[in-house]
Amino acid sequence: MKNLNADIAVIGGGASGFAAAITAARNGAGKVVIIERLPRTGKKLLATGNGRCNLSHTEITEKSYRTSYPYFSEVIVGFEGAESFFGGLGLLTYSDSQGRVYPYSNAATSVLDALRLEAERLGVEEICDYSVQSISAEKGGFLINNSLFAKAVILCTGGCASPSMGSDGSGFALAEKLGHKIIKPLPSLAPIKCNDSMVRALKGLRVNCKVSAYLGKKLLKSEVGEIQFSDNALSGICIFNLSPLAAEYGSDMSICVDFMPEYDYNSLLDLLFSIKKQRRECALEDMLTGIFQKRVGQSLMKGAVSLPLNSKSSSLKPEDIKRLAALIKCRRFSVDGLSAFTSAQVTHGGVFGEEIDEKLCSRLVNGIYFAGEIIDADGDCGGYNLHWAWASGCLAGKSAAEFIKSRRKA
Ligand SMILES: Cc1cc2nc3c(=O)[nH]c(=O)nc-3n(C[C@H](O)[C@H](O)[C@H](O)COP(=O)(O)OP(=O)(O)OC[C@H]3O[C@@H](n4cnc5c(N)ncnc54)[C@H](O)[C@@H]3O)c2cc1C
């Protein structure tokens, strides 16, 4: 490793790192190296989208993100688009009915292979098993770990989410040492902790419903989809999309689960009265089995009615049915905080956006660039975070290449 010289060192061989290295090399940057702390690049990429890699979304707007970076929209709009970028790498993509974009092969390995092949073709060198601990400004460039010299550095180290996949927050320490402010990193797209008897009773089940986040009586956001009940936590894509709010409001927030969003309260009442009539002899614990999975029906009945569950359905009074309908429409769960970074998909927070210019160059240290999750920008579930990694990686790579070329001319 001693005395290696590069024009551009990309720190981090994840999504944004590959996009940055490929674009820098395509734009005549000269020698480009990717430095990766794990034995191989792209570990997290292989885990994305349950191994299918949901690499983008057909509708990308700023609304699906939270960021302090003032040029966020410009970067997204200026990007050629993930389908076009990957088309240029020979990777075919498709979008599902909800607009989520995947590789045609449905395999994240195809995405990583396409990136690796292009990086190899362009002569990008990979240095793996090498953790960057220090970056110091030297005459004409930067000294990395006191051994590798590069004229420009692109920090693509990700955040703190899923540290076993490489992003352990060390990039924030590097940025901080260079003088950058870090917005406190918090787990995002993570299960929401709810210490609740119903969550425990339904552990292991997946249920389609509508979930709404409330601050007191104020509705903050609603999502429709599948929730997963796990160990004292709610999980699933729709819950992940409420998790940035849970990070912000903590236990002041509550979640209302509507188990039958297709029915309004009155039509649900009619339905429950007719089921009661039809199943008069049935035990309460079985009355809702035609609608819900057995444990869900039992939990809702238990929550709404004080009668023993082996009582006959005919013993339900109209007030019981009304309470049951109300509970099915809104079972409220108190929030006990967010799960740890180990089970989060992304990081909320990161390098303060106001200190980064429109070309993703540091406003504090000329020649330092940022891309991907290290920047204070995080998106919803559905391909938005990888889209940001590609878009910002491509721009940072292009900008760093222009910087190198202007140095050559000078
Ligand atoms: C399980 C899971 C599933 C996901 N699924 C999706 C999905 O389907 N769609 C989507 O849009 N998003 C998804 N995400 C989020 C998405 O993967 C990230 O937002 C994206 O990978 C961020 O890219 P990045 O390049 O900024 O960082 P990363 O992909 O985290 O890459 C950073 C790289 O830098 C390396 N590194 C860190 N520090 C150092 C250092 N000091 N020296 C050298 N190397 C270093 C790391 O080892 C890592 O390889 C998922 C995340 C997880 C955890």
Side-chain angles (χ1 to χ4, degrees):
M1 269 310 294
K2 279 260 173 225
N3 304 325
L4 248 173
N5 262 289
D7 289 290
I8 296 182
V10 175
I11 319 290
S16 64
F18 268 106
I22 287 169
T23 313
R26 280 178 178 172
N27 282 274
K31 182 166 179 172
V32 179
V33 292
I34 295 179
I35 306 178
E36 169 57 48
R37 65 181 282 265
L38 295 182
R40 276 174 75 73
T41 50
K43 184 170 181 186
K44 191 185 285 178
L45 205 46
L46 295 179
T48 57
N50 283 325
R52 289 168 62 205
C53 187
N54 174 198
L55 57 89
S56 182
H57 197 278
T58 49
E59 274 179 45
I60 297 281
T61 67
E62 204 175 4
K63 275 191 222 148
S64 301
Y65 296 87
R66 295 148 291 279
T67 182
S68 59
Y69 179 51
Y71 302 101
F72 187 87
S73 288
E74 284 85 337
V75 176
I76 295 293
V77 170
F79 179 46
E80 61 179 299
E83 281 141 306
S84 164
F85 174 69
F86 280 103
L89 304 182
L91 184 92
L92 199 60
T93 56
Y94 77 96
S95 55
D96 70 8
S97 58
Q98 292 177 56
R100 293 182 292 222
V101 180
Y102 292 95
Y104 187 78
S105 66
N106 265 326
T109 45
S110 304
V111 179
L112 185 56
D113 286 344
L115 292 164
R116 278 211 183 109
L117 283 172
E118 180 67 352
E120 240 173 71
R121 185 186 75 77
L122 292 161
V124 173
E125 195 184 325
E126 279 189 20
I127 300 170
C128 291
D129 237 340
Y130 189 86
S131 176
V132 173
Q133 311 283 340
S134 70
I135 301 170
S136 48
E138 293 278 310
K139 192 168 182 294
F142 301 91
L143 200 55
I144 297 163
N145 286 4
N146 290 320
S147 62
L148 168 62
F149 181 82
K151 291 178 191 141
V153 170
I154 312 178
L155 279 166
C156 300
T157 49
C160 304
S162 293
S164 64
M165 295 177 195
S167 51
D168 61 350
S170 55
F172 293 146
L174 293 171
E176 214 164 16
K177 276 187 210 148
L178 290 164
H180 279 274
K181 178 176 158 184
I182 307 296
I183 304 292
K184 187 180 174 196
L186 293 169
S188 193
L189 305 194
I192 297 179
K193 285 199 232 162
C194 300
N195 187 1
D196 184 289
S197 58
M198 187 169 185
V199 174
R200 286 189 291 280
L202 301 189
K203 186 179 165 186
L205 294 187
R206 294 162 180 259
V207 182
N208 281 320
C209 50
K210 179 177 168 188
V211 289
S212 303
Y214 282 89
L215 187 61
K217 286 187 177 160
K218 187 180 167 204
L219 174 65
L220 299 171
K221 186 174 182 176
S222 288
E223 289 272 321
V224 176
E226 186 185 76
I227 51 172
Q228 294 165 25
F229 292 87
S230 61
D231 238 349
N232 277 327
L234 297 175
S235 186
I237 291 176
C238 58
I239 292 291
F240 282 2
N241 285 338
L242 301 184
S243 65
L245 294 166
E248 191 174 343
Y249 298 112
S251 55
D252 290 342
M253 185 180 120
S254 63
I255 295 175
C256 164
V257 176
D258 179 349
F259 285 88
M260 294 185 80
E262 308 82 359
Y263 286 73
D264 62 25
Y265 174 76
N266 285 327
S267 49
L268 179 57
L269 263 189
D270 292 345
L271 178 73
L272 292 175
F273 276 117
S274 76
I275 290 175
K276 179 197 157 183
K277 209 165 150 192
Q278 193 183 21
R279 297 190 153 178
R280 294 185 63 77
E281 298 303 312
C282 192
L284 287 181
E285 61 188 351
D286 293 325
M287 190 183 122
L288 298 174
T289 47
I291 305 178
F292 300 116
Q293 299 177 65
K294 191 164 181 170
R295 269 195 281 156
V296 178
Q298 287 175 344
S299 280
L300 287 165
M301 189 64 84
K302 203 170 156 189
V305 176
S306 50
L307 295 165
L309 285 187
N310 58 3
S311 320
K312 285 189 178 169
S313 301
S314 55
S315 54
L316 284 178
K317 298 193 170 63
E319 304 80 67
D320 294 325
I321 301 269
K322 284 181 190 161
R323 270 202 309 279
L324 182 60
L327 195 69
I328 292 172
K329 290 303 289 172
C330 180
R331 169 59 163 86
R332 205 170 278 272
F333 294 89
S334 308
V335 169
D336 292 311
L338 269 187
S339 298
F341 273 118
T342 42
S343 48
Q345 291 202 349
V346 294
T347 306
H348 173 76
V351 176
F352 183 38
E354 297 275 354
E355 294 177 351
I356 303 173
D357 77 7
E358 69 280 12
K359 292 185 167 180
L360 290 167
C361 182
S362 161
R363 287 192 187 282
L364 313 181
V365 189
N366 206 17
I368 295 281
Y369 294 81
F370 298 98
E373 209 177 299
I374 188 172
I375 300 171
D376 173 30
D378 61 291
D380 290 346
C381 229
Y384 300 97
N385 288 292
L386 281 174
H387 188 94
W388 168 243
W390 316 127
S392 57
C394 288
L395 177 61
K398 184 165 180 262
S399 307
E402 277 165 9
F403 172 78
I404 295 293
K405 287 190 279 183
S406 69
R407 278 277 168 98
R408 272 188 213 133
K409 277 186 203 149

